[in-house]
Amino acid sequence: MNLYDVAIIGSGPGGYVAAIRCAQLGMKTALIEKYSTLGGTCLNVGCIPSKALLDSSHHYEDAVKHFEDHGIEISGEVKVNLEKMIARKQAVVDQTTEGINFLMKKNKIDVLEGLGSFKDATHITIVKSDGSSEEIEAKNIIIATGSKPSTLPFITLDKERIISSTEALKLKEIPKHMIVIGGGAIGLEIGQIYRRLGSEVSVIEYMDRIIPTMDKAQSKELIKVMKKQGVKFYISHKVSAVGRKGNEVTITATDKKDNEVSFKGDYCLVSVGRSPFTHGLAIENANIKINQQGQIEVNSRLQTNNKNIYAIGDVVSGAMLAHKAEEEGVFVAETIVGQKPHINYNLIPSVVYTWPEVASVGKTEEQLMEEGVEYKVGQFPMRALGRSRASGDTDGFVKILSNAKTDEVLGVHMVGARVADLIAEAVVAMEFRASAEDIARMSHAHPTYAEAVKEAALAATNDRALHI
Ligand code: FAD
Ligand code: NAD
């Protein structure tokens, strides 16, 4: 039987990054994945394919709606070839997952294809798709089995008309009317893709605002812009039933006045969150505990109640984000060899890749109010930037929240072009515990979107913004 220093179950961004770091640190490493392609949700049916379709649909929308403003005339009709668009997305996915195979070989990591399950706390059985199995022994085991789409108790995902993000990323036709349940990252990103391609899109959200975990100002700005783009929103609506007759789906909900409303469409995307995935792992054979949310319970070192078994990524508590899973993968690898790594969970940025993009790090204004922290706000609108006017991307703002006494930056919240990339500056500043004035005094290239960060920092520093 093969003996490994570490075996990792699941090859998503948590698992494969953990494997690379373990190998870099000199451990004999195995990576177990039930599917034939590596990369997990993120590379196969998540981050990468959704961004490929967001980019393709953005190009189409620019060609149809915005090229003319730039003096570019297209003679003849601009058409979408959905089949080709989806095939391109798949090619991007294939190239990316192939890249992970290369990285595994380069780092001499053994990739074992099959469903991994615990025989006991140090032995894993791997059952391949042909029914054959093998067993390995590992001194340390990392569970990185990720998550799967959640649904509501009364909804059955038929995967044809009542679908999750996985099916929405490979539709064979452009929906006439896509009804999206849930105004979080998935609902808004996929809703925007199909709105751009010509679908009517209605988003039904249970809370009183979309992207409810982000700063309220971001929710307000994004809903305003997406309404202008033609997406319809029904907030404070509680869905009570979802039915299908032939190609028609009917969604019933109650609004905030308790009136029953119904929506008819040809596709219903259910995007109400994701649940941790532990099915088939046989964790009971290793006495591993899960909590009420189905997450594997871990301590601050990401150890389960078996010291040699760790868990990371979507299967444990915290933000369900690829880069959070990656940080945890590195953290566990370094912990195993006795290093003392650290993750600042407050500074894991979150991004929604709609256009305009939405990006956040640190505390929201609502959190600071709740915690009773005295703070200052500096906000700068994108429309006041030369760069934004040049590109025509004038929606959004940068908002910096800093401590009222010390001026330390506590939260940065942005909506606008390329803010998914701009948020990195805020993370660096906050990791170094910068004050708003520190950012305000640093030179930012002109003309760039990044100037909005400097201006917002100036605004937080005694209202000193220069260009408004
Ligand atoms: P996963 O990526 O879910 O990987 C788990 C792997 O474990 C899977 O490959 C699974 O097959 C395997 N596995 C499970 N059980 C077993 C077993 N018993 N044996 C063997 N293998 C097993 N996050 C971002 O940060 N940015 C984004 O832009 C973004 N976009 C997203 C878009 C969509 C549509 C979706 C659905 C998600 C998106 N996410 C995004 C979230 C991101 O995909 C997840 O947070 C991330 O993939 C979690 O990584 P993970 O390694 O914990 O698990
Ligand atoms: P989410 O938690 O981001 O959003 C779910 C939304 O559905 C919330 O706004 C919630 O209030 C709403 N909701 C819940 N129950 C509802 C109900 N009964 N009726 C109506 N609305 C309801 O979840 P998601 O969008 O499904 O995404 C799943 C996970 O994947 C998230 O954790 C997210 O972070 C991750 N993800 C990240 C990105 C990104 O980083 N850009 C993109 C896609 C997915």
Side-chain angles (χ1 to χ4, degrees):
M1 190 191 305
N2 268 327
L3 172 67
Y4 289 93
D5 294 316
V6 61
I8 298 152
I9 311 177
S11 72
Y16 86 74
V17 168
I20 293 173
R21 189 72 188 115
C22 285
Q24 283 176 345
L25 291 166
M27 287 182 265
K28 187 178 177 204
T29 305
L31 181 67
I32 303 159
E33 170 55 55
K34 66 178 173 176
Y35 290 126
S36 56
T37 55
L38 303 180
T41 305
C42 178
L43 272 60
N44 290 282
V45 290
C47 325
I48 300 302
S50 57
K51 268 80 250 177
L53 290 182
L54 276 160
D55 283 338
S56 297
S57 60
H58 200 163
H59 289 315
Y60 172 67
E61 190 186 47
D62 277 345
V64 173
K65 291 194 182 155
H66 304 305
F67 276 7
E68 220 181 321
D69 302 341
H70 292 265
I72 303 166
E73 289 169 10
I74 298 172
S75 57
E77 202 186 339
V78 182
K79 282 195 246 166
V80 174
N81 181 333
L82 185 67
E83 198 184 337
K84 205 166 170 186
M85 199 179 274
I86 300 275
R88 175 195 176 268
K89 172 220 73 174
Q90 195 52 44
V92 172
V93 168
D94 294 345
Q95 204 184 10
T96 313
T97 57
E98 197 43 53
I100 307 298
N101 288 339
F102 164 79
L103 291 173
M104 295 305 105
K105 280 193 195 107
K106 181 185 158 204
N107 287 286
K108 300 188 175 50
I109 294 160
D110 287 351
V111 175
L112 309 173
E113 189 183 326
L115 183 79
S117 64
F118 284 95
K119 188 175 176 209
D120 57 39
T122 50
H123 292 86
I124 300 170
T125 308
I126 299 138
V127 179
K128 299 173 206 296
S129 52
D130 64 6
S132 64
S133 68
E134 69 174 300
E135 195 179 306
I136 60 164
E137 185 178 356
K139 292 182 203 158
N140 297 284
I141 296 170
I142 305 175
I143 305 171
T145 49
S147 63
K148 62 168 194 291
S150 294
T151 179
L152 298 172
F154 50 84
I155 302 178
T156 309
L157 295 174
D158 66 20
K159 301 191 179 183
E160 289 172 3
R161 297 276 159 181
I162 305 170
I163 58 176
S164 73
S165 53
T166 305
E167 296 75 48
L169 294 169
K170 53 180 183 193
L171 289 183
K172 293 201 163 39
E173 60 178 2
I174 297 168
K176 291 184 188 66
H177 183 190
M178 176 179 265
I179 300 165
V180 176
I181 306 178
I186 291 184
L188 298 180
E189 289 181 7
I190 293 181
Q192 193 173 65
I193 290 170
Y194 286 105
R195 176 66 205 121
R196 287 169 178 164
L197 298 182
S199 305
E200 184 183 345
V201 173
S202 302
V203 177
I204 306 174
E205 167 60 48
Y206 175 73
M207 302 291 279
D208 62 358
R209 60 188 177 104
I210 58 169
I211 43 170
T213 53
M214 298 182 96
D215 194 276
K216 212 175 207 167
Q218 292 172 303
S219 305
K220 271 193 186 165
E221 180 73 3
L222 187 63
I223 200 168
K224 187 183 86 190
V225 180
M226 287 187 74
K227 276 183 181 170
K228 272 198 290 181
Q229 295 167 349
V231 178
K232 295 192 179 108
F233 287 94
Y234 301 88
I235 55 166
S236 302
H237 275 62
K238 186 175 180 205
V239 175
S240 50
V242 174
R244 173 183 172 186
K245 246 190 206 152
N247 289 344
E248 188 180 75
V249 290
T250 305
I251 287 85
T252 312
T254 41
D255 66 15
K256 61 178 160 209
K257 290 182 185 144
D258 240 11
N259 296 319
E260 196 172 274
V261 278
S262 75
F263 304 84
K264 285 192 191 309
D266 52 347
Y267 286 89
C268 172
L269 169 66
V270 182
S271 48
V272 294
R274 294 177 61 86
S275 325
F277 186 78
T278 51
H279 184 75
L281 257 186
I283 46 172
E284 60 284 359
N285 293 340
N287 289 319
I288 293 166
K289 287 193 194 142
I290 57 168
N291 64 21
Q292 282 191 327
Q293 287 81 46
Q295 294 156 335
I296 294 183
E297 272 187 21
V298 285
N299 62 18
S300 59
R301 289 154 67 90
L302 298 172
Q303 280 166 317
T304 65
N305 49 316
N306 270 303
K307 279 200 165 56
N308 67 310
I309 304 177
Y310 299 77
I312 59 171
D314 281 10
V315 80
V316 299
S317 65
M320 287 182 157
L321 295 172
H323 43 288
K324 179 257 193 187
E326 289 186 31
E327 293 305 328
E328 290 183 337
V330 170
F331 178 96
V332 166
E334 293 178 352
T335 300
I336 291 172
V337 293
Q339 295 183 5
K340 299 270 181 281
H342 174 70
I343 298 175
N344 184 348
Y345 284 99
N346 183 43
L347 296 189
I348 305 270
S350 51
V351 172
V352 183
Y353 295 83
T354 47
W355 197 265
E357 292 174 335
V358 185
S360 255
V361 67
K363 304 278 185 187
T364 63
E365 197 167 347
E366 294 70 43
Q367 283 171 326
L368 293 179
M369 282 193 266
E370 207 177 292
E371 291 169 15
V373 177
E374 283 183 45
Y375 63 92
K376 300 181 288 177
V377 184
Q379 191 161 325
F380 189 81
M382 292 299 189
R383 75 184 131 72
L385 288 180
R387 185 72 192 86
S388 296
R389 282 193 300 275
S391 71
D393 296 300
T394 50
D395 292 312
F397 58 81
V398 172
K399 172 174 169 178
I400 295 186
L401 302 168
S402 64
N403 186 296
K405 290 194 186 84
T406 64
D407 197 33
E408 179 176 351
V409 178
L410 302 174
V412 181
H413 310 287
M414 310 174 172
V415 179
R418 298 282 165 234
V419 299
D421 298 293
L422 288 193
I423 200 69
E425 175 181 0
V427 177
V428 173
M430 289 174 74
E431 280 287 5
F432 285 94
R433 303 198 62 179
S435 64
E437 189 175 354
D438 287 333
I439 300 177
R441 289 192 178 278
M442 289 175 199
S443 174
H444 287 65
H446 173 76
T448 58
Y449 301 114
E451 285 174 291
V453 180
K454 179 186 171 94
E455 290 277 2
L458 279 165
T461 313
N462 302 325
D463 211 7
R464 281 180 41 207
L466 294 165
H467 290 90
I468 194 141

